[in-house]
Amino acid sequence: MKKLFALLLVLAFGLQLAACGATPAASQGGAPASAPASAAGEDGTVQAEGMLWPVTPLPEKTKLTVSYLANSTAEVVTYLAQEKGWLDACNLEVEMVYFAGGPAQMEASTSWDVGTSGIGGMITGLLNYDIRCLGVVSLDRGLYQAFFARKDSPIVQAGTGHSSVEGVWGTADTWKGVKVLTATGTANQYTLYHTLKSFGLNLSDVEVVNMDIATVPTAFLAGEGDVGGIQGLTIQDPVFQGEDSEYVMVSSDQLLQCGLPVNYVATAQAMETKQQAVELWLELALMAGEYANANQEEVADMMVDMYALDGYETEAEDNLVLIQDNPFISVAENYAFFTQTSEDGSMLQAEAQIYDAMQGYVEMGNYTADQLDKLISGTSFLPEPVSAAYEHAAQ
């Protein structure tokens, strides 16, 4: 814990100086065509163009495989550091691979080193795949999970005003028995759980059809199910949100305010064999998040090319809304998450975020109370050692 404290302290210190940032479906790799020049300090640090503080590079080129979820803003932190030339300046080479969902990402954890993952994948990884939690990327609370119904659906015909949450469509009776397409154990299902809860219902009151979240839009548009769970950029697709759309967004994480944390993660194997590289990636990723928050329009433009590599066509203005609604967690906020306790003082704030979310998953039937206790009593949060290179910051 002391070494993690040192890492976070140095990042916070660096930020203060700056004020005076299943199987893989596709991959990206390699350095940018022309990396910006970097200035080498007398202490051996480097500071490439745009970097918010000096960083100590790796002694030799090291490769990390970075996993992330398709259609996710969390990809930005690694992509930005790569495109800006920060990784190359620090002797860090990455291959980026994406997965359609968190559980599939964790099942394939032997094929990657570090990554970003939502709550569903995070819990699966902590409990079953010896994954380590390194930090918080963002709190997705800005229209990242949604459910759509057809205009002629009884849910839509019933209108709004019958839920405990303003803006959610339907009544308890119109939701009962409907066939809902979603991916079980994911943040999408968690949003469904809260939708039903707003009517005094639970998951047993509907028919949940489990399928890969990436395939739900196609299946729903083909006529399957009564309600479709949609994630990420697809929510903004004109087929769902256009003026002539035949579909209505009947619920969302934004309406329910039930967004969940996305986390930085690493495998136990990577922490053992590539510890220094893992720590450097984390530092640069946190820096990139700070940069993205401060340069939203530039990064929204960058995301057009980023998503195109994953096969998604986007508009810069839509990407800008995603960043504005789902800002990256700052170094200072991460520092607080991992050094300050929850309101009742029973655990760190970072642990409480996972614990509180998992309580919902226990109620949903995805996990047991014993598994919840096992998660918190384990050693997957804040792995030690983190970095001897940053210990000087604690002095």
Side-chain angles (χ1 to χ4, degrees):
M1 180 70 74
K2 290 181 180 178
K3 293 186 178 180
L4 178 68
F5 181 93
L7 168 60
L8 292 169
L9 184 60
V10 77
L11 294 180
F13 178 65
L15 182 60
Q16 293 171 354
L17 290 177
C20 300
T23 300
S27 66
Q28 306 167 24
S34 56
S38 59
E42 293 182 1
D43 57 357
T45 61
V46 296
Q47 189 165 12
E49 181 180 340
M51 288 178 68
L52 304 184
W53 60 81
V55 174
T56 301
L58 296 172
E60 58 184 22
K61 184 73 73 175
T62 305
K63 180 179 179 180
L64 287 178
T65 300
V66 182
S67 68
Y68 62 97
L69 301 184
N71 215 357
S72 167
T73 56
E75 175 187 358
V76 169
V77 293
T78 302
Y79 182 83
L80 188 153
Q82 183 179 46
E83 291 300 299
K84 288 288 186 181
W86 301 352
L87 300 178
D88 189 58
C90 293
N91 274 334
L92 190 58
E93 179 184 350
V94 302
E95 177 186 8
M96 298 173 67
V97 294
Y98 78 70
F99 295 84
Q105 177 189 25
M106 296 302 157
E107 288 171 11
S109 59
T110 56
S111 68
W112 51 265
D113 301 306
V114 296
T116 54
S117 189
I119 191 68
M122 184 70 192
I123 294 174
T124 300
L126 290 175
L127 288 175
N128 303 313
Y129 295 99
D130 209 14
I131 297 300
R132 303 291 188 260
C133 177
L134 304 179
V136 183
V137 185
S138 62
L139 302 176
D140 283 339
R141 291 177 178 164
L143 194 54
Y144 200 76
Q145 308 289 343
F147 286 87
F148 287 84
R150 299 174 183 87
K151 282 186 175 179
D152 60 359
S153 163
I155 291 174
V156 174
Q157 296 301 311
T160 61
H162 309 288
S163 161
S164 62
V165 177
E166 184 178 355
V168 176
W169 293 68
T171 64
D173 287 339
T174 58
W175 274 91
K176 280 184 179 178
V178 298
K179 185 181 291 186
V180 185
L181 311 183
T182 186
T184 59
T186 66
N188 196 258
Q189 188 194 26
Y190 188 79
T191 304
L192 173 63
Y193 161 74
H194 279 281
T195 300
L196 297 173
K197 193 173 181 180
S198 75
F199 292 105
L201 304 175
N202 56 50
L203 290 172
S204 64
D205 291 310
V206 300
E207 180 183 350
V208 174
V209 180
N210 180 30
M211 61 175 60
D212 193 306
I213 195 66
T215 65
V216 171
T218 302
F220 186 60
L221 293 175
E224 292 186 41
D226 302 305
V227 176
I230 310 299
Q231 175 177 287
L233 294 169
T234 309
I235 294 171
Q236 308 297 337
D237 193 300
V239 72
F240 289 114
Q241 296 267 45
E243 292 182 5
D244 300 324
S245 175
E246 294 298 316
Y247 306 92
V248 173
M249 186 170 63
V250 294
S251 181
S252 72
D253 55 354
Q254 190 174 50
L255 287 172
L256 297 161
Q257 284 297 288
C258 65
L260 295 166
V262 177
N263 296 276
Y264 294 108
V265 297
T267 65
Q269 177 70 11
M271 289 300 298
E272 273 187 41
T273 62
K274 301 179 180 180
Q275 178 192 326
Q276 193 174 359
V278 170
E279 294 154 12
L280 181 57
W281 168 78
L282 177 62
E283 181 176 3
L284 293 175
L286 288 166
M287 185 188 297
E290 293 276 0
Y291 184 96
N293 286 342
N295 300 276
Q296 293 180 339
E297 292 187 1
E298 175 193 346
V299 175
D301 287 333
M302 182 181 294
M303 289 167 67
V304 173
D305 292 333
M306 180 188 79
Y307 283 130
L309 290 172
D310 294 343
Y312 294 94
E313 292 185 10
T314 65
E315 300 292 337
E317 52 265 36
D318 293 331
N319 295 334
L320 181 59
V321 171
L322 279 177
I323 299 176
Q324 291 172 336
D325 288 348
N326 302 284
F328 295 97
I329 298 301
S330 68
V331 173
E333 288 170 317
N334 258 300
Y335 180 78
F337 285 151
F338 288 96
T339 57
Q340 297 180 15
T341 60
S342 55
E343 289 184 6
D344 63 5
S346 63
M347 63 188 73
L348 292 174
Q349 289 180 10
E351 294 174 319
Q353 290 185 78
I354 303 296
Y355 185 90
D356 293 344
M358 193 169 174
Q359 284 185 312
Y361 278 89
V362 171
E363 293 178 23
M364 289 161 59
N366 296 96
Y367 299 98
T368 66
D370 287 343
Q371 288 176 307
L372 176 56
D373 292 337
K374 175 185 174 183
L375 184 149
I376 296 303
S377 63
T379 58
S380 292
F381 288 96
L382 321 180
E384 295 185 84
V386 174
S387 176
Y390 298 124
E391 287 185 357
H392 67 276
Q395 298 176 358

Tab-separated table of all heavy atoms in Angstrom, residues 26-30 63-68 78 82 93-97 111-112:
chain	number	residue	atom	x	y	z
A	26	ALA	N	-10.549	-6.857	-33.007
A	26	ALA	CA	-9.654	-6.079	-33.865
A	26	ALA	C	-8.480	-5.628	-33.034
A	26	ALA	O	-8.486	-5.736	-31.827
A	26	ALA	CB	-10.383	-4.861	-34.445
A	27	SER	N	-7.444	-5.097	-33.676
A	27	SER	CA	-6.301	-4.639	-32.898
A	27	SER	C	-5.672	-3.428	-33.554
A	27	SER	O	-5.853	-3.167	-34.732
A	27	SER	CB	-5.254	-5.758	-32.782
A	27	SER	OG	-4.702	-6.055	-34.040
A	28	GLN	N	-4.950	-2.672	-32.732
A	28	GLN	CA	-4.185	-1.535	-33.209
A	28	GLN	C	-2.799	-1.665	-32.615
A	28	GLN	O	-2.629	-2.184	-31.533
A	28	GLN	CB	-4.806	-0.213	-32.724
A	28	GLN	CG	-6.281	-0.045	-33.062
A	28	GLN	CD	-6.894	1.092	-32.297
A	28	GLN	OE1	-6.193	2.005	-31.885
A	28	GLN	NE2	-8.179	1.045	-32.101
A	29	GLY	N	-1.802	-1.157	-33.259
A	29	GLY	CA	-0.462	-1.233	-32.686
A	29	GLY	C	0.488	-0.314	-33.406
A	29	GLY	O	0.183	0.244	-34.445
A	30	GLY	N	1.680	-0.173	-32.826
A	30	GLY	CA	2.702	0.625	-33.479
A	30	GLY	C	2.706	2.055	-33.022
A	30	GLY	O	1.744	2.561	-32.473
A	63	LYS	N	6.945	-4.081	-24.535
A	63	LYS	CA	5.620	-4.147	-25.149
A	63	LYS	C	4.570	-4.578	-24.135
A	63	LYS	O	4.784	-5.478	-23.335
A	63	LYS	CB	5.620	-5.138	-26.325
A	63	LYS	CG	4.264	-5.267	-27.025
A	63	LYS	CD	4.311	-6.242	-28.185
A	63	LYS	CE	2.946	-6.371	-28.847
A	63	LYS	NZ	2.956	-7.328	-29.986
A	64	LEU	N	3.412	-3.913	-24.188
A	64	LEU	CA	2.245	-4.295	-23.411
A	64	LEU	C	1.067	-4.511	-24.354
A	64	LEU	O	0.897	-3.746	-25.321
A	64	LEU	CB	1.853	-3.210	-22.406
A	64	LEU	CG	2.719	-2.995	-21.174
A	64	LEU	CD1	2.152	-1.832	-20.354
A	64	LEU	CD2	2.789	-4.248	-20.324
A	65	THR	N	0.275	-5.526	-24.085
A	65	THR	CA	-0.983	-5.704	-24.804
A	65	THR	C	-2.080	-5.097	-23.942
A	65	THR	O	-2.268	-5.483	-22.786
A	65	THR	CB	-1.282	-7.190	-25.064
A	65	THR	OG1	-0.219	-7.743	-25.845
A	65	THR	CG2	-2.586	-7.355	-25.822
A	66	VAL	N	-2.772	-4.106	-24.513
A	66	VAL	CA	-3.764	-3.327	-23.777
A	66	VAL	C	-5.159	-3.710	-24.271
A	66	VAL	O	-5.473	-3.547	-25.447
A	66	VAL	CB	-3.542	-1.815	-23.962
A	66	VAL	CG1	-4.554	-1.025	-23.139
A	66	VAL	CG2	-2.117	-1.423	-23.582
A	67	SER	N	-5.996	-4.195	-23.365
A	67	SER	CA	-7.357	-4.586	-23.736
A	67	SER	C	-8.342	-3.490	-23.353
A	67	SER	O	-8.129	-2.748	-22.393
A	67	SER	CB	-7.738	-5.899	-23.042
A	67	SER	OG	-7.858	-5.708	-21.649
A	68	TYR	N	-9.428	-3.408	-24.100
A	68	TYR	CA	-10.475	-2.443	-23.794
A	68	TYR	C	-11.770	-2.930	-24.423
A	68	TYR	O	-11.779	-3.882	-25.220
A	68	TYR	CB	-10.107	-1.053	-24.330
A	68	TYR	CG	-9.957	-0.985	-25.837
A	68	TYR	CD1	-11.006	-0.543	-26.639
A	68	TYR	CD2	-8.779	-1.373	-26.460
A	68	TYR	CE1	-10.880	-0.497	-28.015
A	68	TYR	CE2	-8.630	-1.322	-27.831
A	68	TYR	CZ	-9.692	-0.882	-28.607
A	68	TYR	OH	-9.569	-0.843	-29.981
A	78	THR	N	-5.259	5.343	-23.791
A	78	THR	CA	-4.102	4.697	-24.411
A	78	THR	C	-3.891	5.211	-25.829
A	78	THR	O	-2.753	5.470	-26.250
A	78	THR	CB	-4.263	3.173	-24.436
A	78	THR	OG1	-4.452	2.696	-23.102
A	78	THR	CG2	-3.041	2.493	-25.029
A	82	GLN	N	-0.575	7.132	-27.336
A	82	GLN	CA	0.127	6.555	-28.478
A	82	GLN	C	0.260	7.581	-29.605
A	82	GLN	O	1.347	7.787	-30.151
A	82	GLN	CB	-0.629	5.322	-28.974
A	82	GLN	CG	0.055	4.584	-30.118
A	82	GLN	CD	-0.752	3.370	-30.534
A	82	GLN	OE1	-1.968	3.443	-30.694
A	82	GLN	NE2	-0.086	2.253	-30.698
A	93	GLU	N	5.802	0.261	-25.924
A	93	GLU	CA	5.105	-0.128	-27.146
A	93	GLU	C	3.828	-0.863	-26.755
A	93	GLU	O	3.838	-1.700	-25.860
A	93	GLU	CB	5.991	-1.047	-27.990
A	93	GLU	CG	5.339	-1.538	-29.274
A	93	GLU	CD	6.212	-2.527	-30.022
A	93	GLU	OE1	7.394	-2.684	-29.635
A	93	GLU	OE2	5.715	-3.161	-30.962
A	94	VAL	N	2.726	-0.526	-27.401
A	94	VAL	CA	1.473	-1.190	-27.052
A	94	VAL	C	0.807	-1.792	-28.282
A	94	VAL	O	0.940	-1.280	-29.394
A	94	VAL	CB	0.474	-0.236	-26.359
A	94	VAL	CG1	1.060	0.366	-25.099
A	94	VAL	CG2	-0.027	0.831	-27.314
A	95	GLU	N	0.113	-2.881	-28.032
A	95	GLU	CA	-0.830	-3.438	-29.001
A	95	GLU	C	-2.189	-3.361	-28.342
A	95	GLU	O	-2.376	-3.856	-27.226
A	95	GLU	CB	-0.506	-4.883	-29.343
A	95	GLU	CG	-1.529	-5.499	-30.306
A	95	GLU	CD	-1.314	-6.977	-30.537
A	95	GLU	OE1	-0.471	-7.574	-29.840
A	95	GLU	OE2	-2.014	-7.544	-31.390
A	96	MET	N	-3.148	-2.736	-29.008
A	96	MET	CA	-4.468	-2.551	-28.430
A	96	MET	C	-5.433	-3.582	-29.018
A	96	MET	O	-5.531	-3.733	-30.234
A	96	MET	CB	-4.957	-1.128	-28.684
A	96	MET	CG	-4.072	-0.059	-28.046
A	96	MET	SD	-4.532	1.638	-28.505
A	96	MET	CE	-6.135	1.759	-27.706
A	97	VAL	N	-6.137	-4.277	-28.147
A	97	VAL	CA	-7.116	-5.276	-28.596
A	97	VAL	C	-8.442	-5.014	-27.897
A	97	VAL	O	-8.472	-4.667	-26.721
A	97	VAL	CB	-6.643	-6.714	-28.299
A	97	VAL	CG1	-5.418	-7.040	-29.118
A	97	VAL	CG2	-6.353	-6.916	-26.821
A	111	SER	N	-4.300	-13.407	-22.586
A	111	SER	CA	-3.810	-12.853	-23.853
A	111	SER	C	-3.493	-11.366	-23.778
A	111	SER	O	-3.080	-10.776	-24.769
A	111	SER	CB	-4.845	-13.092	-24.965
A	111	SER	OG	-6.024	-12.314	-24.735
A	112	TRP	N	-3.674	-10.729	-22.613
A	112	TRP	CA	-3.359	-9.306	-22.494
A	112	TRP	C	-2.724	-8.998	-21.135
A	112	TRP	O	-2.747	-9.828	-20.233
A	112	TRP	CB	-4.589	-8.437	-22.737
A	112	TRP	CG	-5.828	-8.775	-21.959
A	112	TRP	CD1	-6.871	-9.560	-22.361
A	112	TRP	CD2	-6.199	-8.317	-20.630
A	112	TRP	NE1	-7.846	-9.640	-21.397
A	112	TRP	CE2	-7.463	-8.882	-20.327
A	112	TRP	CE3	-5.581	-7.500	-19.689
A	112	TRP	CZ2	-8.106	-8.646	-19.110
A	112	TRP	CZ3	-6.220	-7.274	-18.475
A	112	TRP	CH2	-7.468	-7.839	-18.202
